[in-house]
Every structure is written in C-alpha cells, then in structure tokens.
Amino acid sequence: MIRCLAIDDEPLALQQLVAYIHKVPFLELAAQCQSALEARQFLENDTVDAIFCDINMPDLNGMDFVKSLAVPPLIVFTTAYSEYAVEGFRVNAVDYLLKPFGLQDFQRAANRLKDRMKTEDSEHAPTTPATESGGSAIANAHLFLKTDYRVVKVNIPDIRYIEGMSEYLKVWVEGEAKPIITLLSMKKIEERLPDYFMRIHRSYIINLNKIQEVNKNRVILDSETYLPVGDLYKEAFQSYLNTNFLGK
C-alpha cells in the first residue's frame, strides 16, 4: 500500500481527491489537510509515501511547501494553473494533474506513483553488511570521501547518520557543524559500513550507537535531529529494538 496525504484548500476539491484515493486499491489515505501548514504539522509526527498537493494555497503554496521538506516523499501536484507544470517537474514531481481532472487522469498518476515506488524500493532494499568482496564492511575503521576538490578521511565510528539527496550524500560526522557532501549512492556506502549501521528510511542510514531515543516512527539522535523510519524498514528496525530491549 502507498500511504498518501491529500492537501487542498478548497473543500470540494479535497473531497474529490479523497474520493479518488479511496477508489484506487493500492492507495491508503493517511490524512487530508486544507493547508500546507496543517500538512507540515501532520508530517512532524508521521510519515507518508506520497503527497497529492494543490499548488495555489494561501499562507504557504504547495510548491514552496514541498521545497521546504527535508526529505520529500513522492509528489503529485494538482492545480488549475498550467504555468506551474515546468516548475513542478523541476522539483522531481511524479506527475502533474491539471484541474478539473477525472478518475482516469488520477489513475494514471497513481500508476506512476506505484511504478516509482517499485523502482525506489528495488534500489533501496535493505542489504546485509557483508559484501561479495569478502566483508569489506568491517575491513577498515575509516573511509575516504571526495568532497569538492578534496579527499577527506572519515572515521566510521564518528559518523552519526547519512542522508541521501538525489545523486549525493550528506555524511553527518560527530563534532562537525556541517555535513560532508559527496557524490555517491546510498547502496555503495551501505556496502562499506559495519553492522552497527542500519538503513531506516530510503533517505537515511543511522549509526545505531548514536540513538538517544525512539519515539513512534522517529529515531532521535539529539534535541535537533529527528529521523523518520520508513515503512519498508520498520520490520528490520523493530527486530533490532526487540533484540536489545530490556524490560517487561
């Protein structure tokens, strides 16, 4: 199932959007919101796989809302204004529905969501720390990463978490205010990490030793760092918690 968030400031348009979501068997409505601000509040405590989002809304328009998300889910924009189409695809939207749209158009967008989810799930499927090269994940206690025009040495135990952003990674290291940004895939760096690192989201790998707290579907590393646990990774992460849980 693809968990969806529906956002539109017009009640009738939101009602129609929700009705269409209910008609598609592989879509699940997580919530419906009448503003981007309401949606932002919802996403502070929950995660979704996809957002159907109107663009022309008061206070905060849909385009700016999506751009403000640190790790945006898959996006389908809905709007009555065709001039937003190009900008919509610049933020990597899966589809763009021009109002008024019918069920057939919505179904097309939903199918594109499903295809994108399948592609990303296959690319981001959890892997074991051991690799075909004979366990290189634990062979060294450090990595060398290229950033800008430099090659920097990173001690693996000091890595707090890794954040994927398109073709690049942000590697957040203990004691450093800014991340190391490097051109590398999540899968590639995952192969080089020891078993105390775990993929918890399509966009996050965490150092399990850095966890301070787990609250619902979020991992808390410090007072300012809250990372979501994606549906694809919940079972493996819960298994890790159960193995290390002490109490009744």
Side-chain angles (χ1 to χ4, degrees):
M1 296 288 286
I2 301 176
R3 278 172 52 82
C4 300
L5 176 61
I7 311 171
D8 202 306
D9 65 308
E10 299 177 9
L12 290 178
L14 182 59
Q15 183 179 347
Q16 182 189 56
L17 188 57
V18 168
Y20 284 166
I21 289 173
H22 286 315
K23 288 179 181 293
V24 179
F26 55 82
L27 295 184
E28 175 189 351
L29 181 67
Q32 52 182 300
C33 301
Q34 285 191 262
S35 73
L37 297 178
E38 183 184 347
R40 178 183 284 172
Q41 187 175 8
F42 170 80
L43 292 174
E44 287 178 357
N45 300 301
D46 208 337
T47 60
V48 295
D49 301 309
I51 297 177
F52 290 90
C53 185
D54 185 28
I55 294 178
N56 233 26
M57 294 185 290
D59 297 324
L60 179 64
N61 72 51
M63 194 71 66
D64 290 338
F65 164 66
V66 170
K67 290 177 181 178
S68 74
L69 298 176
V71 186
L74 301 178
I75 304 295
V76 174
F77 283 118
T78 65
T79 184
Y81 302 93
S82 60
E83 60 266 27
Y84 285 115
V86 174
E87 189 177 358
F89 286 111
R90 281 177 181 164
V91 297
N92 201 28
V94 174
D95 208 346
Y96 175 96
L97 290 169
L98 186 63
K99 297 179 181 179
F101 55 86
L103 180 58
Q104 186 175 356
D105 293 325
F106 182 85
Q107 181 73 61
R108 181 201 70 222
N111 288 336
R112 287 183 176 176
L113 274 179
K114 183 170 68 172
D115 291 342
R116 180 77 70 86
M117 282 284 291
K118 285 181 179 178
T119 300
E120 293 194 355
D121 286 352
S122 64
E123 290 176 352
H124 302 146
T127 58
T128 58
T131 65
E132 294 179 359
S133 58
S136 62
I138 58 174
N140 298 306
H142 58 264
L143 298 170
F144 287 95
L145 298 175
K146 185 176 181 181
T147 178
D148 295 327
Y149 298 101
R150 302 175 296 130
V151 175
V152 297
K153 179 181 177 181
V154 180
N155 291 322
I156 293 177
D158 292 337
I159 297 174
R160 299 176 65 239
Y161 68 99
I162 297 165
E163 180 181 353
M165 38 179 250
S166 189
E167 299 175 347
Y168 290 84
L169 299 179
K170 288 183 179 179
V171 181
W172 295 87
V173 179
E174 198 77 51
E176 299 293 335
K178 295 182 179 180
I180 297 168
I181 299 178
T182 184
L183 180 61
L184 196 64
S185 71
M186 292 285 273
K187 185 174 179 62
K188 192 69 175 179
I189 200 167
E190 204 172 7
E191 292 173 351
R192 293 294 309 277
L193 295 172
D195 57 7
Y196 57 85
F197 283 83
M198 178 177 284
R199 187 77 165 271
I200 62 166
H201 188 276
R202 63 191 177 96
S203 299
Y204 290 111
I205 298 171
I206 63 168
N207 183 335
L208 296 169
N209 296 328
K210 305 296 183 182
I211 296 175
Q212 287 190 1
E213 185 180 335
V214 178
N215 188 337
K216 296 182 180 179
N217 291 327
R218 297 186 300 174
V219 174
I220 302 173
L221 302 186
D222 57 46
S223 60
E224 298 180 350
T225 310
Y226 295 69
L227 305 179
V229 179
D231 289 343
L232 183 64
Y233 306 92
K234 281 181 182 177
E235 184 176 351
F237 184 64
Q238 187 61 52
S239 177
Y240 162 77
L241 293 179
N242 292 342
T243 301
N244 293 276
F245 183 76
L246 186 63
K248 294 183 179 180

